[in-house]
Amino acid sequence: MRFRPSVPTRYRAARRWLLRSVTVAACAVFTWMSMAAPALAAPPGDLNQVIERIRLALLVLGGALVGLFITIGFFRYSAADGDPGETERAKKAIRCAAVGFLGAAIAQLIVKVLQSVVS
């Protein structure tokens, strides 16, 4: 029987790499958002601009989260090493990220329709 080390020992380097990647991605997103802040700092003229700014902010946040969860799912899938349980969890994470992406897209559509009805 083959000896299998515990999960923390086995994936220590992979977890370190994932943590560093997420940190770099978060720094890049925060830098990009801070550069866009002066354009969003102007006072809104009407309700449509307020709704549009909130929609864009939520879209950026949702897109970043979907990208993060898809990346984590693919990382878990590649690190599963043939373990059926871990492979299934990775597939579930990718499916959930895809459903979240579709939910965000449908929410954007609903907001656009409501915005056109209100104005």
Side-chain angles (χ1 to χ4, degrees), residues 27-37 60:
C27 289
V29 168
F30 288 135
T31 302
W32 175 74
M33 289 178 76
S34 67
M35 290 173 20
V60 167

Side-chain angles (χ1 to χ4, degrees), residues 1-11 76-87 89:
M1 189 166 163
R2 193 174 105 185
F3 173 72
R4 296 186 74 121
S6 66
V7 173
T9 304
R10 187 173 176 201
Y11 295 116
R76 289 181 77 173
Y77 189 78
S78 66
D81 196 31
D83 182 17
E86 191 65 31
T87 303
R89 283 195 283 286

Side-chain angles (χ1 to χ4, degrees), residues 2-111:
R2 193 174 105 185
F3 173 72
R4 296 186 74 121
S6 66
V7 173
T9 304
R10 187 173 176 201
Y11 295 116
R12 185 170 291 150
R15 287 181 181 176
R16 228 178 303 136
W17 177 84
L18 180 63
L19 181 62
R20 288 178 185 159
S21 299
V22 169
T23 304
V24 168
C27 289
V29 168
F30 288 135
T31 302
W32 175 74
M33 289 178 76
S34 67
M35 290 173 20
L40 298 175
D46 60 349
L47 181 62
N48 285 333
Q49 286 182 347
V50 172
I51 292 172
E52 186 67 20
R53 287 182 183 176
I54 292 171
R55 186 185 71 82
L56 287 175
L58 291 176
L59 181 65
V60 167
L61 180 63
L65 286 175
V66 165
L68 175 68
F69 287 128
I70 286 177
T71 303
I72 289 172
F74 281 124
F75 177 76
R76 289 181 77 173
Y77 189 78
S78 66
D81 196 31
D83 182 17
E86 191 65 31
T87 303
E88 190 58 38
R89 283 195 283 286
K91 288 179 181 178
K92 183 179 178 184
I94 294 170
R95 277 194 304 266
C96 289
V99 168
F101 176 74
L102 289 175
I106 291 170
Q108 295 297 320
L109 180 66
I110 290 171
V111 168

